[in-house]
């Protein structure tokens, strides 16, 4: 069960679907860049003479600045107009992609990747806000379904796309084309965005000022939380975990400051009243937990195929395509069905992901050696459909009651939860995988234990969704003034 909104016909932007295509193109490009570089890391080591610490920061630096930028960037779009923020982010991402490809040394590449990650966060946070702004009701659900397809496809297509580019342009310079490929897409998307995205800023936010202390407190908290997670394999000592209690203290300080801002009548970075909406608070939590399990699967699976079975970069990347196809199909289905079925659809999707991944565990044991990827293809397809059916409906349900003028910051919170969950999941599942590999040396068993850990995390998300559905049946969330009418 979810909500459907209506608006006067005059308020509907006739170019909204074309504008959505532009947003999804920008989102696809930036999300793809978070995974496409993984198979290019050996090429960077060879072509640039980069060491393990350098290539680690190529990946983790992007994730860090991406996560740090999301909420402030979303708030900036709410205040100054999402078209302006999107164009700025897209231009910065395209220019930093060119700089990455031209980088003369590893240090410069890391620096440009930090800028690229921040630009990616600026683009991503505007996409959810623009969907909230341009669409309502069943159309909004369809739009979020398309966004869910983009999330799933971009995550899964990164490895095969990177493998194809390395194969086409060689090991020495192939990594540069991982970045150059963004240039024609970025320029075309920028030109289309100039013509198609709505010019009107979201009022009255344009008269508000940015909550700089809030930005600093939240940024420091996210940094302290994510840094030990994304550097879990590189920082071998236990001292890194001391940042976790520091992150908790900073989050408490951020919460107190935002309440203080609200009492003074000033616009906070994040409207804490959003967390009083059960649909929003639970959706953010589900995002965090599910992405902790879902993203880690590709991390250990690609390592298993390349390091354990001797697959090449292209073959290992292509092995994730069944999940991408299933995710695209599932997200499109979810966008159409969420209006009718609501949270029940998320439950079905999460259950399908768990079953599909459990079947992968069985498949790699039953078909050892080079045939493992083929045996796991159908289970990955099932898991992909379940993932698509989970992500896009959960996004719709999470943001359905969020006021449009706060949609950018709310979307930033939601995607930040995804990034933190992804980093935490990779750290936990990766630790299980590497620990077994170091102690016992069996790649197949290490993969199975890693996948079982990921399944356990996904089952936690499933329990949260089931508990929420039961709670909704016992205590329906009251309608708010002006809220859309519920449909069964």
């Amino acid at each position: 069960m979810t909500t459907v909104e209506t608006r006067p016909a005059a308020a509907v932007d006739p170019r909204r679907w074309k504008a959505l295509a532009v947003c999804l193109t920008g989102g696809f490009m930036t999300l793809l860049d978070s995974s496409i570089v993984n198979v290019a890391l050996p090429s960077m080591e060879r072509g640039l003479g980069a060491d393990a610490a350098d290539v680690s920061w190529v990946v983790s630096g992007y994730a860090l600045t991406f996560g740090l930028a999301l909420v402030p960037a979303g708030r900036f779009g709410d205040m100054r107009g999402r078209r302006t923020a999107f164009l700025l982010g897209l231009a910065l991402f395209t220019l930093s992609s060119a700089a990455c490809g031209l980088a003369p040394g590893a240090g410069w590449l890391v620096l440009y990747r930090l800028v690229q990650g921040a630009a990616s966060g600026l683009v991503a946070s505007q996409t959810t806000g623009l969907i909230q702004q341009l669409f309502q009701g069943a159309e909004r659900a369809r739009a979020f379904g398309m966004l869910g397809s983009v999330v799933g496809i971009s995550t899964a297509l990164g490895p095969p796309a990177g493998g194809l580019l390395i194969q086409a342009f060689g090991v020495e310079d192939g990594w540069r084309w991982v970045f150059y490929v963004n240039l024609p897409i970025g320029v075309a998307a920028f030109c289309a965005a100039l013509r198609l995205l709505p010019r009107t800023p979201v009022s009255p936010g344009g008269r508000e000022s940015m909550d700089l202390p809030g930005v600093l407190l939240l940024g420091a908290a996210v940094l302290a939380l994510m840094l030990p997670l994304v550097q879990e394999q590189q920082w071998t000592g236990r001292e890194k975990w001391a940042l976790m209690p520091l992150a908790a203290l900073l989050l408490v300080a951020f919460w107190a400051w935002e309440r203080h801002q609200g009492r003074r009548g000033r616009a906070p970075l994040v409207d804490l009243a959003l967390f009083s909406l059960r649909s929003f608070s639970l959706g953010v939590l589900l995002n965090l937990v599910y992405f902790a399990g879902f993203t880690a699967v590709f991390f250990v699976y690609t390592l298993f195929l390349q390091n354990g079975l001797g697959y090449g970069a292209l073959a290992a990347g292509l092995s994730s395509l069944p999940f991408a196809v299933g995710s695209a199909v599932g997200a499109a289905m979810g966008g159409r069905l969420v209006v009718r079925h609501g949270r029940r659809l998320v439950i079905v999707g999460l259950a399908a992901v768990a079953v599909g991944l459990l079947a992968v565990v069985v498949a790699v044991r039953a078909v050892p050696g080079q045939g493992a990827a083929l045996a796991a293809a159908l289970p990955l397809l099932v898991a992909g459909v379940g993932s698509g059916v989970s992500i896009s409906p959960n996004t719709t349900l999470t943001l359905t009651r969020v006021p449009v003028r706060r949609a950018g910051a709310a979307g930033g919170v939601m995607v930040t939860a995804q990034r933190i969950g992804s980093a935490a999941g990779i750290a936990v599942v990766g630790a299980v995988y590497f620990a077994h590999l170091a102690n016992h040396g069996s790649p197949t068993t290490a993969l199975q234990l890693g996948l079982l850990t990921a399944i356990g995390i996904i089952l936690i998300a499933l329990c949260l969704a089931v508990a929420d559905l039961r709670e909704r049946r016992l205590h329906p969330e009251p309608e708010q003034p002006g809220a859309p009418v519920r449909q069964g």
Side-chain angles (χ1 to χ4, degrees):
M1 180 181 296
T2 186
T3 55
V4 177
E5 298 172 280
T6 59
R7 70 170 71 176
V12 175
D13 190 330
R15 299 181 300 175
R16 62 194 182 282
W17 293 106
K18 293 179 180 179
L20 175 64
V22 173
C23 294
L24 295 184
T25 300
F28 176 84
M29 182 174 63
T30 57
L31 288 169
L32 186 74
D33 238 60
S34 65
S35 60
I36 194 173
V37 299
N38 291 337
V39 296
L41 297 180
S43 176
M44 293 175 190
E45 290 178 325
R46 183 168 174 177
L48 276 181
D51 58 24
D54 293 326
V55 297
S56 169
W57 271 100
V58 168
V59 177
S60 61
Y62 184 91
L64 278 172
T65 52
F66 183 39
L68 287 170
L70 284 164
V71 177
R75 182 71 184 120
F76 175 76
D78 291 341
M79 292 166 45
R80 303 292 185 238
R82 298 184 183 107
R83 178 181 184 271
T84 299
F86 185 89
L87 288 169
L88 177 62
L90 199 58
L92 187 59
F93 183 86
T94 305
L95 290 172
S96 58
S97 295
C100 286
L102 294 169
W108 286 106
L109 178 59
V110 170
L111 175 63
Y112 298 142
R113 278 287 281 178
L114 294 174
V115 176
Q116 193 186 36
S120 179
L122 187 54
V123 170
S125 56
Q126 308 316 311
T127 301
T128 53
L130 281 164
I131 290 175
Q132 290 282 90
Q133 179 179 331
L134 292 170
F135 300 96
Q136 289 189 0
E139 282 195 344
R140 182 182 290 175
R142 285 177 57 199
F144 277 127
M146 295 178 185
L147 177 61
S149 295
V150 166
V151 172
I153 292 172
S154 60
T155 302
L157 279 186
L164 282 170
L165 290 169
I166 297 299
Q167 183 166 300
F169 295 101
V171 176
E172 290 287 341
D173 292 314
W175 66 269
R176 296 185 185 274
W177 288 92
V178 166
F179 302 108
Y180 289 152
V181 74
N182 293 328
L183 303 185
I185 303 172
V187 170
F190 186 88
C191 294
L194 278 173
R195 185 169 63 90
L196 295 171
L197 294 189
R199 292 178 176 273
T200 307
V202 179
S203 298
R207 296 189 296 270
E208 297 172 351
S209 60
M210 181 67 80
D211 175 16
L212 291 180
V215 171
L216 293 175
L217 284 170
L218 182 61
V222 172
L223 182 63
L225 186 60
M226 289 188 66
L227 194 57
L229 294 173
V230 299
Q231 289 287 291
E232 197 273 335
Q233 292 298 317
Q234 285 69 38
W235 292 3
T236 55
R238 296 181 179 179
E239 295 81 6
K240 60 178 177 285
W241 302 116
L243 289 172
M244 290 297 185
L246 175 61
L249 290 173
L250 288 167
L251 284 173
V252 170
F254 170 74
W255 190 274
W257 171 258
E258 296 299 278
R259 290 188 64 185
H260 175 66
Q261 286 285 90
R263 286 195 297 267
R264 294 172 63 190
R266 297 184 178 180
L269 178 64
V270 177
D271 186 354
L272 299 182
L274 292 174
F275 291 96
S276 66
L277 300 173
R278 188 171 63 208
S279 56
F280 180 77
S281 56
L282 179 91
V284 169
L285 181 60
L286 271 176
N287 247 3
L288 190 151
V289 176
Y290 175 65
F291 270 76
F294 146 69
T295 312
V297 169
F298 294 102
F299 177 67
V300 295
Y301 188 60
T302 305
L303 284 174
F304 165 72
L305 293 176
Q306 290 187 276
N307 298 339
L309 300 185
Y311 278 45
L314 178 58
L318 290 173
S319 298
S320 64
L321 279 179
F323 190 98
V325 172
S327 182
V329 172
M333 290 169 51
R336 291 194 301 269
L337 297 174
V338 64
V339 173
R340 182 183 304 169
H341 299 289
R343 188 66 69 190
R344 288 173 293 177
L345 196 61
V346 178
I347 292 172
V348 171
L350 291 172
V353 176
V355 170
L357 293 180
L358 192 60
V360 173
V361 173
V362 174
V364 297
R365 174 63 67 181
V367 185
Q370 293 289 315
L374 184 60
L378 181 58
L380 281 175
L381 179 67
V382 173
V385 172
S387 184
V389 170
S390 302
I391 292 174
S392 61
N394 186 59
T395 303
T396 302
L397 295 168
T398 301
L399 298 177
T400 190
R401 292 177 170 272
V402 172
V404 172
R405 65 189 181 89
R406 300 295 186 195
V413 170
M414 187 181 67
V415 183
T416 300
Q418 292 178 0
R419 296 303 98 201
I420 293 172
S422 297
I426 289 173
V428 172
V429 175
V432 172
Y433 178 87
F434 288 119
H436 184 85
L437 204 59
N439 294 327
H440 303 283
S442 170
T444 301
T445 306
L447 174 68
Q448 289 176 311
L449 291 174
L451 289 179
L452 288 172
T453 304
I455 292 168
I457 296 170
I458 291 167
L459 289 176
I460 294 173
L462 177 60
C463 291
L464 288 170
V466 170
D468 176 67
L469 182 62
R470 292 184 62 186
E471 179 67 17
R472 285 174 184 273
R473 288 173 175 171
L474 293 172
H475 306 288
E477 191 171 39
E479 298 290 346
Q480 298 172 345
V485 178
R486 284 190 179 272
Q487 301 291 322

